[in-house]
Structures are given as C-alpha cells and as structure tokens.
Amino acid sequence: MRVPFLDLKAPYLELREELDAAYRRVMESGWYVLGPEVEAFEAEFAAYCETRHCIGVGNGLDALYLSLLAMGIGAGDEVIVPSNTYIATWLAVSYAGARPVPVEPDPETCNLDPDRVEEAVTPRTRAIIAVHLYGQPAEMERLKAIADRHGLRLLEDAAQAHGARFRGRRVGGLGDAAGFSFYPGKNLGALGDGGAITTNDDQLARKIRILRNYGSEKKYYHQVQGVNSRLDELHAALLRVKLGRLDEWNTRRVALAGYYLSQLPEVGPALPKVAGEMEPVWHLFVLRSRQRDLYLQELAKAGVGTLVHYPIPPHRQEAYAPLGINEGRLPIAEQLAKEVFSIPLGPHLSVQDAALVVDAIRRTAESLEGAKSSI
Ligand SMILES: *Cc1c(COP(=O)(O)O)cnc(C)c1O
C-alpha cells in the first residue's frame, strides 16, 4: 500500500521520547488505576474542552452510556439519535434500557437535521444525542433550543471531534454532557481503549464519577449499582503527551482537507460540506459518488487505502432487526451508506501522498466523463 488509510505508528515515532518517558513514569510509580495521571489528564482535558469537569472512563461507548444513566434515562424512555452514525451511539441508548429513535441527517453535512428532530419528539422522549460526525460539529444551537423547548437532555457524541469548534466554542461543552473516545484511530487516541465525559453540570459529573467505579465514592461503600469503566493510569499518561500535540495535529488535518477541497476535480465525487460557523477537525474526509465501487477499485489499484464510514446504517444491522425499521424508512441514511467513501487524511499524511490520492480520483473521474461523452 503506497498510501495507507491510517498510520497509527507515525504519532508514536513523532513523540517517542516523551511517550516512553510517560510509560516509564507510570511503570515505576507502582500505581495503575485511578491515580495522579488520570486526575491530571482529566484536569487538562477539561481545560482543553473549556468545561468544568472531565471524567475518564474505559471507552467511548461507556462515556455515552454512563452519561445517559447519570441523566436518569432508562426503560420506557426514548432517545433521539442520528440515523447516520456509528452503531455505538445507538448501543449506548440500548444499554441504558431506552429506545433509540432515529432521525435523518441533513444530506449536505451528514449531521442531524434539527427540523426533523422536532417532528420526532414524543411524550416519552428524554434526550437527544447529537453526533459531531466526521469531526464537524452538529447544529448545537438549534438542537439546544429544541431540547430546552421540550425539557430534554442534550448529549454530544464527540468521539470524532476532539477540538472542533462551533461559533468559537469547543465541542464537549455545548450540551449537558459529551462523550469522547480515545480509540487509537481517533484524533486524540490512546494506545488501547479509553474514553471520557466532559460536562459543566456538577451533579452529572459526580454521578458519572460514582457510576464508573462500582457505584462507589468511598472505597467499599456502594451507593448505586455502578460498573467498572475506568481510564487506566498508563493511557492517561500517554494521552497527556498527545493532548499537547492535538491542536497542531488538527491544524495539519485542516490544511490537508483544504488541499483536497481545492484540488479534487469538480466533475468527480461530491465533496464534504462545511456548515457556516463550524470549525471541523476532519476526523474523516468523506466523499460521495454513485460510482463508489469504481472509485474504491481504482484507488486500491493506485495503492491508496480507503474505508467506508459506514456501509450499513444501524437500523439495517441485524442487531437492530428487533426495532423493525424497514428498508426505505430512513432513505437518506441508506443512500449515504451506498455512496460514501473515506480517503486517507491524518496529521502524518504528506502532501505528496495527498497528491497521489487526488491523481487517482481525477483519473477515475475523467475516465467516467469520457465514457459519458462517447455515448
Ligand atoms: C468511535 C466512536 C464511538 C465509540 O467509541 P469507542 O471508544 O470505540 O467505544 C462512539 N461514537 C462514534 C461516533 C464513534 O466514532
């Protein structure tokens, strides 16, 4: 592969000395769960997200699930989720015992469409989960207005958007709480699983802190039936190093996205759209084409790695067959699943490699145009 889709080793090589030092510090401390590294990371990530609190947990799914639990959401409740998202958003709702109610995205931004959200509110609705998909913030102000009007909680799924801004404000503090993932491939990635919740709500923060640690605030005293979902000291120490580079790495992503947006051919696949006042961090660069399979094939031939985010929307997964949402009920999500594909974009992708990607797409687009005009 000449241009791999993702290079997870490059960030390690760039920060090798600092990461190795952090690793040694934790190893030699003899303290591995809920200690000074997690506390320091929580304070630093809260400051980064401009929120009062950050609570480290085991992964992004738990970050969302524990937020819902702390909000008191459970059996009999409905939670509005995007129809076009990674399945974890839905699973968090199901885990809590509530019912995910999908709402279609704006086909331009692929993010939750506020107009449709209002139509989906019922007397059972308790919360909205807004996903900042591909690294672009959702329409948080309009969603907040809807949530306030109906007395709903607003939870951000910020797993793809560490550092993104909406009207100058960081994601993570735009709703009642936000769930982050530090899965290795995310913009801020651990060297294994990890996650966090950010919030400005003191009560929610306290509840989540208790829930993540067996329902306990004081060792061996358990006030609720909590879970074990804790960020490890080791991951926290490594994340602290990487957090110091996050803005620089996001800036490199923005520059590469700018390159793609200016260089990709107009006659080719549809380019991603950035809504006004959004500052995305380009977790993914997602193109759309009815000839997707041909593009995937030609890019593979040129040695360029691609992925499809995502080939099957949650409602069409076997796991959600019990909801009985038939094919055709969520046509935008289904259409996107047929047309989207992601090309390489990361802080360690060189402009030469990006140029190779552009070339392969241009050649494919031109051959398609040629075939059209010769008919
Ligand atoms: C990655 C991701 C998650 C889940 O994070 P994990 O750490 O893998 O559990 C949730 N939502 C979205 C949108 C994601 O991309």
Side-chain angles (χ1 to χ4, degrees), residues 56 84 111 114 127 146 178 196-197 201 208 210 225 227 229 258 335:
N84 179 50
N111 266 333
I146 295 167
I197 296 108
D201 183 323
I208 293 165
I210 293 170
Q225 296 171 5
V227 303
S229 183
Q335 195 68 26

Side-chain angles (χ1 to χ4, degrees), residues 58-64 84-90 131-134 157-161 179-184 186 192-195 283-284 309-310:
N59 54 67
L61 171 58
D62 283 356
L64 297 170
N84 179 50
T85 181
Y86 183 56
I87 195 168
T89 317
W90 287 45
V131 181
H132 307 309
L133 198 67
Y134 311 144
D157 179 341
Q160 304 190 354
F180 286 88
S181 163
F182 305 126
Y183 183 74
K186 309 286 181 174
D193 279 308
H283 174 58
L284 296 169
H309 298 91
Y310 298 93

